[in-house]
Amino acid sequence: HGDMVRPGLALYGGNPTPGQKNPMHPVAHYMARVLQVREVPAGETVGYGASWMTDRPTLVATIEAGYSEGLMRSLSGRGEAVAHGIRVPIIGRVSMDLITLDVSKAPHTKSGDLVELLGATLTIDEVATAAGTISYEILTSLKPRGGRHYM
């Protein structure tokens, strides 16, 4: 018994025991660069179709990632990223090449910084839940456009 197993998602750090603490370590990471950071006044909109409106002055970072890299459009207004170890929300719509983040809680974020969209802090399972899908779809959707590094 147990001589042959299929590790499946656990091989990439996904939780093989839903509802329990994940015994696996995340090995798949997705990072993207901050292109610009701007302060947006209260009452302004962000994203296609003016899909998100600021309710206070908001520090908005534009990130070089979008659905062309495999980031799910369903993360629009629902997903998160991690800037300098701080979870920040995706605001507006996930567009083809860009997303925007409210980095007001991480005000030291600047152009050129890397943010985590998947990795040690933001797990495959958390991203899948936010996107309304399963972890396998998150991994299989990622495109090699930005390059892949295997270690």
Side-chain angles (χ1 to χ4, degrees):
H1 178 73
D3 286 347
M4 225 170 126
V5 297
R6 179 179 167 269
L9 187 65
L11 186 63
Y12 298 95
N15 190 351
T17 56
Q20 299 178 32
K21 186 176 188 285
N22 189 356
M24 310 311 287
H25 296 284
V27 296
H29 300 271
Y30 180 20
M31 307 291 283
R33 195 162 307 281
V34 175
L35 297 174
Q36 71 175 6
V37 179
R38 299 279 166 94
E39 186 165 330
V40 178
E44 295 292 323
T45 58
V46 176
Y48 286 131
S51 60
W52 191 84
M53 182 180 285
T54 58
D55 58 0
R56 57 176 164 64
T58 305
L59 204 55
V60 175
T62 303
I63 310 302
E64 64 171 0
Y67 59 77
S68 63
E69 285 86 24
L71 198 63
M72 299 280 184
R73 289 188 72 228
S74 59
L75 291 169
S76 300
R78 297 173 56 186
E80 293 180 307
V82 179
H84 296 281
I86 300 165
R87 287 175 180 251
V88 296
I90 295 174
I91 58 174
R93 292 214 174 116
V94 172
S95 64
M96 186 166 76
D97 295 308
L98 305 169
I99 60 170
T100 48
L101 307 173
D102 176 353
V103 293
S104 299
K105 291 181 181 177
H108 44 285
T109 303
K110 63 185 181 316
S111 178
D113 287 352
L114 288 175
V115 297
E116 177 186 308
L117 297 167
L118 176 68
T121 307
L122 195 57
T123 69
I124 298 167
D125 303 305
E126 290 174 303
V127 174
T129 297
T133 189
I134 59 172
S135 303
Y136 289 98
E137 188 175 12
I138 298 300
L139 289 174
T140 59
S141 295
L142 295 177
K143 311 269 189 315
R145 182 176 175 192
R148 290 184 184 200
H149 303 279
Y150 298 93
M151 297 160 70

